[in-house]
């Protein structure tokens, strides 16, 4: 497969399902007693999914469950094992989907690329668009998993850490910070962390505004460029963040759609930043 875009359409996937591995990366939010937690989307996947798809557990398997914060990115060794567990080998073409607005698919897409696998694409509109078009679904645990070998090699330039972001805030490093959370969370009006707000100097491009409400697909490139106009006008590289590095991956994906390849995702995001009382919030 050859495409300049990180996206594939539902029509393309319908025509090429036999030649790719489809992964469903859905994770479900759970809000109770004023706290936000997460649960696996496996049960929903087994109720119905794109035929032949396999479930990719971003909550546990494709993250480091021993990390201090949810969705901490895994080591190369752990990622290799995770990829092999869903039948993705070194030469496999992967199409990632989810049952939400694409944040989970974007996170898994970013992880694959950061570990050296370029044959990975996001299903534009995800399973919501697939179902809305009355395309076939099947129930059950998913397609069979063949034995494969995946060689993960961590690439530079994909991730930012707390020290890097602090250097940007203090002016020791040049970068444009973009927060992918909602305007209410960006302003500190709402949020689930004890310290609310955003990293000083950040722009706000909410991941929820990147997709069409009617189709769940990404907006046209021209409209995405308008949303990111302030960041695109600056010559500096970009660092995206959110609460835990998930919505930030959607912003990174949208930036890739419009041709920006100098983006890094702050993996710990506000879960890490806000937990350190020494660090400023606006």
């Amino acid at each position: 497969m050859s495409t300049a875009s990180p996206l594939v359409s539902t029509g393309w996937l319908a025509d090429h399902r036999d030649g790719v591995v489809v992964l469903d990366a859905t994770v479900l939010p759970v809000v109770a007693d004023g706290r936000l937690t997460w649960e696996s989307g496996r049960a929903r996947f087994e109720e119905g999914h794109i035929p032949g798809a396999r479930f990719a557990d971003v909550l546990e398997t494709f993250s480091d469950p021993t990390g201090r914060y949810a969705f901490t990115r895994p080591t190369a060794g752990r990622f290799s094992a995770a990829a092999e567990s869903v039948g993705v080998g070194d030469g496999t073409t992967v199409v990632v989907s989810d049952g939400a607005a694409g944040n989970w698919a974007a996170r898994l897409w970013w992880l694959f690329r950061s570990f050296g696998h370029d044959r990975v694409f996001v299903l534009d509109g995800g399973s919501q668009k697939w179902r809305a078009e009355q395309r076939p679904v099947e129930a059950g645990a998913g397609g069979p998993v063949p034995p494969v070998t995946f060689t993960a090699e961590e690439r530079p330039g994909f991730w930012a850490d707390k020290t890097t972001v602090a250097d940007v805030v203090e002016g020791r490093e040049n970068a444009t910070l973009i927060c992918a959370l909602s305007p209410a969370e960006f302003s500190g009006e709402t949020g689930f962390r004890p310290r609310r707000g955003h990293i000083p100097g950040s722009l706000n491009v909410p991941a929820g505004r990147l997709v069409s409400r009617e189709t769940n697909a990404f907006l046209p490139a021209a409209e995405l460029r308008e949303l990111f106009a302030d960041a695109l006008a600056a010559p500096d590289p970009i660092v995206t963040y959110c609460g835990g590095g998930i919505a930030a991956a959607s912003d990174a994906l949208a930036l890739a759609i419009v041709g920006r390849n100098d983006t890094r995702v702050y993996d710990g995001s506000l879960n890490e930043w806000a937990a350190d009382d020494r660090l400023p919030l606006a």
Side-chain angles (χ1 to χ4, degrees), residues 110 155-161 163-165 167-168 173-178 236-241 248-249 251-252 255 260-267 269:
W110 193 258
R155 288 172 167 169
F158 279 82
W159 304 101
D161 59 17
T163 299
T164 298
V165 175
D167 285 343
V168 174
E173 182 171 334
N174 293 326
T176 300
L177 300 175
I178 299 179
D236 299 327
I238 296 170
V239 175
T240 64
Y241 72 93
D251 273 18
L255 286 162
R260 286 297 292 262
N261 297 309
D262 57 349
T263 304
R264 289 173 288 171
V265 171
Y266 175 20
D267 194 44
S269 283

Side-chain angles (χ1 to χ4, degrees), residues 77 81 85 87 113 188 200 223 240 263 268:
S85 75
R113 293 179 65 245
E223 294 182 35
T240 64
T263 304

Side-chain angles (χ1 to χ4, degrees), residues 65-123:
T66 68
R68 184 177 178 184
Y69 305 103
F71 308 110
T72 298
R73 75 180 190 274
T75 62
R78 183 174 182 87
F79 190 85
S80 289
E84 291 170 358
S85 75
V86 292
V88 175
D90 290 334
T92 305
T93 297
V94 183
V95 175
V96 191
S97 176
D98 66 34
N103 291 351
W104 304 106
R107 172 69 178 192
L108 192 52
W109 169 81
W110 193 258
L111 282 166
F112 267 107
R113 293 179 65 245
S114 75
F115 284 113
H117 194 77
D118 288 324
R119 299 175 65 88
V120 57
F121 304 89
V122 171
L123 179 63

Side-chain angles (χ1 to χ4, degrees), residues 23-268:
L23 299 179
D24 187 310
T26 303
V27 178
L28 303 175
V30 179
V31 178
D33 299 323
R35 295 179 63 249
L36 174 65
T37 58
W38 307 96
E39 69 177 32
S40 169
R42 186 181 296 275
R44 179 175 293 184
F45 169 83
E46 293 184 356
E47 290 173 359
H49 54 262
I50 296 170
R54 301 164 191 162
F55 183 71
D57 190 344
V58 175
L59 182 61
E60 296 284 342
T61 308
F62 283 90
S63 297
D64 181 358
T66 68
R68 184 177 178 184
Y69 305 103
F71 308 110
T72 298
R73 75 180 190 274
T75 62
R78 183 174 182 87
F79 190 85
S80 289
E84 291 170 358
S85 75
V86 292
V88 175
D90 290 334
T92 305
T93 297
V94 183
V95 175
V96 191
S97 176
D98 66 34
N103 291 351
W104 304 106
R107 172 69 178 192
L108 192 52
W109 169 81
W110 193 258
L111 282 166
F112 267 107
R113 293 179 65 245
S114 75
F115 284 113
H117 194 77
D118 288 324
R119 299 175 65 88
V120 57
F121 304 89
V122 171
L123 179 63
D124 199 14
S127 59
Q128 286 191 32
K129 190 170 188 291
W130 181 273
R131 289 171 177 269
E133 294 168 346
Q134 299 184 337
R135 298 185 186 275
V137 296
E138 66 179 14
V145 178
V148 293
T149 298
F150 186 93
T151 308
E153 296 181 359
E154 189 161 1
R155 288 172 167 169
F158 279 82
W159 304 101
D161 59 17
K162 184 170 68 173
T163 299
T164 298
V165 175
D167 285 343
V168 174
V169 172
E170 296 297 328
R172 293 185 294 269
E173 182 171 334
N174 293 326
T176 300
L177 300 175
I178 299 179
C179 179
L181 294 174
S182 69
E185 285 190 85
F186 180 79
S187 68
E189 179 183 349
T190 63
F192 295 96
R193 288 166 292 279
R195 296 176 67 217
R196 297 178 180 178
H198 60 270
I199 299 172
S202 301
L203 303 174
N204 185 208
V205 183
R209 295 184 179 176
L210 303 176
V211 299
S212 164
R213 292 184 179 182
E214 289 73 31
T215 67
N216 205 46
F218 272 88
L219 299 175
E223 294 182 35
L224 293 176
R225 288 190 184 94
E226 290 182 11
L227 291 174
F228 288 99
D230 290 340
L232 295 176
D236 299 327
I238 296 170
V239 175
T240 64
Y241 72 93
C242 54
I246 306 301
S250 274
D251 273 18
L253 173 57
L255 286 162
I257 292 170
V258 300
R260 286 297 292 262
N261 297 309
D262 57 349
T263 304
R264 289 173 288 171
V265 171
Y266 175 20
D267 194 44

